[in-house]
Amino acid sequence: QVQLVESGGGLVQAGGSLRLSCAASGPTFSMCAMGWFRQAPGKEREFVAAISWCGESTSYVDSVKGRFTISREITKKTMYLHMNSLKPEDTAVYYCAGGSTIATITSWGQGTQVTVSS
């Protein structure tokens, strides 16, 4: 079973930056897509960004385009989310996820809290 472990969350002021990391272990050969989701208090979990593990395509939710960048280091089995110009509405628990496609997630991380103060 693939295991995903996030790190890098924390408290930051509006306009600041954070970098989240997600380290994968286990049989990752079947995992062709990885991504980030987030869940704010009282809201449903939403898609944030995704990256192909088998290619180089990326996708983002409109609200983070131009501010967040997803990247990966295949040799380290690690994915990153670089978050700039953070806003209070970015406050949420951020989850790392992986699967054969971003629509068929089979593995989730435990989540890391990101809090943006105004």
Side-chain angles (χ1 to χ4, degrees):
Q1 181 128 4
V2 173
Q3 292 186 326
L4 303 175
V5 179
E6 304 100 331
S7 61
L11 172 65
V12 64
Q13 288 188 332
S17 300
L18 280 175
R19 187 186 76 164
L20 304 183
S21 300
C22 174
S25 61
T28 58
F29 54 86
S30 62
M31 195 170 65
C32 208
M34 290 187 71
W36 293 93
F37 292 74
R38 66 186 180 187
Q39 187 167 19
K43 295 188 177 181
E44 293 188 353
R45 189 175 299 187
E46 68 167 348
F47 167 78
V48 177
I51 188 165
S52 172
W53 214 250
C54 305
E56 296 187 10
S57 63
T58 59
S59 61
Y60 299 89
V61 67
D62 285 347
S63 60
V64 308
K65 285 180 180 178
R67 300 188 299 121
F68 291 10
T69 303
I70 191 170
S71 64
R72 61 173 173 30
E73 288 188 75
I74 293 178
T75 56
K76 294 184 178 181
K77 293 186 178 181
T78 302
M79 175 180 66
Y80 305 97
L81 186 66
H82 306 260
M83 306 185 293
N84 298 318
S85 302
L86 282 161
K87 304 175 181 179
E89 50 263 44
D90 294 318
T91 294
V93 177
Y94 283 70
Y95 296 90
C96 171
S100 55
T101 72
I102 202 61
T104 53
I105 297 298
T106 53
S107 299
W108 291 93
Q110 81 285 356
T112 186
Q113 177 71 47
V114 171
T115 303
V116 184
S117 63
S118 56

